[in-house]
Amino acid sequence: MSGGRVSSDQDATLVRVETDDGLVGWGEQCVISPDYAPGYAGSTRAVLEPLARAVLGADPRQIEVVYARMDAAARGYQYAKSALDMACWDLLGRACGLPLSDLLGGTHQTDFPVYTGIGIAAPEVMREQCAQALDAGWAQIQLKVGTTWREDVDRIEACLSVLGGAERVIVDANAYWTQADAARIVALIDGRDIFVEQPCATIEECAAIRRTSSRPMILDESLWDLGDLLRARDAGAADAVRLKLSRFGGITPVKRARDLAVSFGLPLTIEDSGGGDVVSAATAHLACSIPGRFLLAGYLPSEMTAERIARGTPSAARGTARLPEGPGLGIEVDEAAVGAPLMRVE
């Protein structure tokens, strides 16, 4: 990613919620790297104990009640709350016999586009990776940038030389550029058919860059809650948004943000920074709950991971994926593969 940040492995936390009558729901949280977003795996597991004790005895199907208990038990720690919230939604779907996307307002599509990312490398290496991605059927490609402004312009131009057949090309600086560098880079590439994603750290800086450019802008890292969406809209900083489960605190708050973004006319992706089978199933259901013309793309974090711990996990094929079948998240976690729990609250 930008600024020389690298993540070669991830530490994910799985949450299993079980009712007295044996219904089970699964959630997952993975802070990809503590230098990317607040939080890390150890703090996730530490705060899950008081959160779990706070919701013990509640009906997990009463999602808002459970979330209110979590908020009363601990301020913040949205990334940890995300896993518990996800498990409750999975359990609710299984209790009702309905897929999660139906419970989120309706399933607008069962097949959905997904995007892939090209990591920072030398321009010629990224160009070759882009060509390979196109050959593999990917139509939406995100280019990671975030070094010096001259190097980043060279990377972008090298990649665009082979991406003429792509449906959407996104240049993602992961909030790294200064406003001055972002202005120089965007001016040099302003005539190209690209989206610019989170060029600077703040909504205000991004808005200033958007005002100087004809390129549509996607906001990601600067969005944490509904208030940020309102600020971004009022500032004219966003033409589309990415909402991450860990940042907002799970499916419950992201559902609200999804509805607000659609009401503003903003296409969106709902995703997470990292994770495996459980997170990918959740992002697939959220993608399919978005009206088609407002769906920027889906994203499957499990495409970055080697381990498989569940059956039915959605996978990408030539730039598209299919919604898992079955109630709840629609996947079946292999508890033998997961192993014994590190912590149990009962």
Side-chain angles (χ1 to χ4, degrees):
M1 296 187 295
S2 65
R5 293 173 292 182
V6 176
S7 178
S8 58
D9 57 85
Q10 301 174 18
D11 189 337
T13 301
L14 290 167
V15 170
R16 181 183 186 274
V17 171
E18 183 174 357
T19 64
D20 292 338
D21 55 2
L23 278 176
V24 171
W26 288 89
E28 182 183 15
Q29 204 290 312
C30 179
V31 177
I32 187 171
S33 172
D35 62 3
Y36 173 68
Y40 62 100
S43 62
T44 299
R45 292 192 276 272
V47 79
L48 274 169
E49 182 173 7
L51 290 177
R53 295 199 183 282
V55 304
L56 194 65
D59 184 341
R61 299 169 302 178
Q62 296 184 20
I63 303 290
E64 296 285 355
V65 172
V66 171
Y67 215 101
R69 287 197 181 196
M70 289 197 293
D71 281 345
R75 295 186 62 181
Y77 301 101
Q78 305 307 105
Y79 54 94
K81 292 173 182 176
S82 179
L84 257 173
D85 182 64
M86 191 182 302
C88 289
W89 277 100
D90 183 31
L91 195 148
L92 173 61
R94 293 176 186 276
C96 298
L98 293 171
L100 180 59
S101 55
D102 282 4
L103 298 176
L104 292 171
T107 303
H108 289 271
Q109 54 270 321
T110 55
D111 293 281
F112 58 99
V114 289
Y115 77 91
T116 190
I118 305 295
I120 294 177
E124 61 274 14
V125 173
M126 292 181 69
R127 179 177 59 236
E128 179 58 28
Q129 291 174 342
C130 286
Q132 292 172 359
L134 275 184
D135 288 343
W138 292 97
Q140 298 197 43
I141 296 176
Q142 182 196 69
L143 309 176
K144 293 293 186 182
V145 291
T147 58
T148 69
W149 74 270
R150 289 187 184 277
E151 291 174 327
D152 283 339
V153 169
D154 289 344
R155 289 185 176 95
I156 295 166
E157 294 292 357
C159 292
L160 290 178
S161 69
V162 297
L163 288 176
E167 175 187 337
R168 183 177 290 118
V169 178
I170 300 161
V171 175
D172 181 15
N174 288 126
Y176 180 76
W177 291 332
T178 64
Q179 187 173 324
D181 280 349
R184 300 172 85 178
I185 295 166
V186 169
L188 288 170
I189 60 176
D190 202 44
R192 311 304 295 271
D193 184 17
I194 60 171
F195 283 64
V196 177
E197 181 172 342
Q198 197 71 47
C200 307
T202 69
I203 291 173
E204 292 73 21
E205 289 171 311
C206 290
I209 299 303
R210 181 64 184 89
R211 287 193 291 271
T212 69
S213 172
S214 61
R215 297 301 89 208
M217 185 174 290
I218 302 171
L219 288 192
D220 180 351
E221 281 86 355
S222 59
L223 301 179
W224 295 86
D225 55 28
L226 296 182
D228 289 334
L229 272 176
L230 286 166
R231 288 173 55 222
R233 192 278 304 268
D234 292 346
D239 300 284
V241 295
R242 297 199 196 282
L243 309 178
K244 286 184 166 58
L245 290 165
S246 294
R247 289 182 181 277
F248 278 75
I251 293 170
T252 298
V254 162
K255 178 180 180 294
R256 301 178 193 134
R258 174 204 66 184
D259 294 342
L260 187 60
V262 169
S263 74
F264 289 162
L266 297 175
L268 68 155
T269 293
I270 298 177
E271 58 183 30
D272 217 341
S273 304
D277 293 343
V278 179
V279 165
S280 285
T283 61
H285 281 276
L286 284 157
C288 290
S289 75
I290 299 170
R293 72 190 186 97
F294 289 107
L295 177 60
L296 192 66
Y299 183 65
L300 305 176
S302 60
E303 296 286 304
M304 296 190 293
T305 65
E307 297 87 357
R308 295 273 78 84
I309 61 164
R311 296 180 296 278
T313 304
S315 60
R318 302 198 66 78
T320 63
R322 174 162 291 183
L323 187 69
E325 297 180 359
L329 291 174
I331 61 173
E332 295 300 326
V333 174
D334 181 354
E335 298 198 34
V338 173
L342 298 177
M343 177 179 65
R344 186 188 300 270
V345 177
E346 56 188 0

